[in-house]
Amino acid sequence: MANVESMIVEEKPQVKQIDREKTCPLLLRVFCSTGRHHSVSEYAFGNVPSNELQIYTWQDATLHELTSLVRDVNPDTRKKGTYFDFAVVYPNFRNGHFQMREIGVTCTGQKGIDDNKTLAQAKFCIGDFLDISITPPNRLPPTARRQRPY
């Protein structure tokens, strides 16, 4: 009898490559605040927070790339050790309200596991908002990412 071997291969979901020369970018509406995310109620009834940053980008944009764009327009965030906690704000059509889902954290001057996460991988849909909580280096990092003491 012939020896039969089997091999298990783990397939990673492939990220679609977008030709940025031929594909029209989307308008990403970003809302930044220091030390906390905006309340979901601030997005209710067609309203949005007042500090809007508009970025034209593509679905394959990484969180690290978006961090760099925010740092370009906000000099206070350029200090090493500044944390950017990203969340997607999207409409829940069942109850007519918005919901928030955290998608990752980046840090200025440090490599992190979420740096290469793309908007597509975070299930971002055109029309959603991006809410960024910016934590300066002299404060504690975002609480959602710290380990619990128990």
Side-chain angles (χ1 to χ4, degrees):
M1 270 201 160
N3 290 337
V4 178
E5 294 183 25
S6 65
M7 183 171 70
I8 298 173
V9 177
E10 184 179 330
E11 292 185 24
K12 295 180 181 177
Q14 293 186 358
V15 178
K16 260 189 187 177
Q17 291 294 337
I18 295 176
D19 185 354
R20 292 186 175 192
E21 293 290 323
K22 295 180 181 176
T23 305
C24 183
L26 61 95
L27 174 63
L28 180 63
R29 297 177 71 186
V30 180
F31 301 93
C32 300
S33 64
T34 303
R36 63 170 183 84
H37 283 289
H38 289 95
S39 171
V40 180
S41 64
E42 293 183 64
Y43 294 95
F45 307 111
N47 297 324
V48 292
S50 61
N51 55 347
E52 182 174 358
L53 173 63
Q54 295 183 347
I55 298 173
Y56 286 98
T57 190
W58 294 265
Q59 286 278 35
D60 66 346
T62 63
L63 296 186
H64 179 72
E65 185 179 346
L66 296 173
T67 299
S68 297
L69 293 171
V70 172
R71 283 192 339 236
D72 288 346
V73 298
N74 192 346
D76 297 337
T77 63
R78 295 180 189 161
K79 295 177 186 169
K80 187 175 182 177
T82 302
Y83 283 89
F84 294 79
D85 189 356
F86 291 84
V88 173
V89 179
Y90 60 97
N92 182 341
F93 296 110
R94 291 183 188 162
N95 61 14
H97 298 294
F98 281 87
Q99 290 185 302
M100 185 178 292
R101 182 182 75 247
E102 292 192 13
I103 59 172
V105 176
T106 62
C107 183
T108 303
Q110 296 177 12
K111 289 189 177 186
I113 58 172
D114 294 331
D115 285 354
N116 293 323
K117 184 182 271 190
T118 65
L119 291 175
Q121 289 170 335
K123 296 184 173 90
F124 177 87
C125 294
I126 295 174
D128 292 348
F129 304 119
L130 196 63
D131 193 279
I132 305 175
S133 168
I134 300 172
T135 306
N138 57 353
R139 295 192 192 166
L140 293 174
T143 56
R145 300 292 177 190
R146 275 189 266 142
Q147 295 294 328
R148 293 190 171 137
Y150 51 92

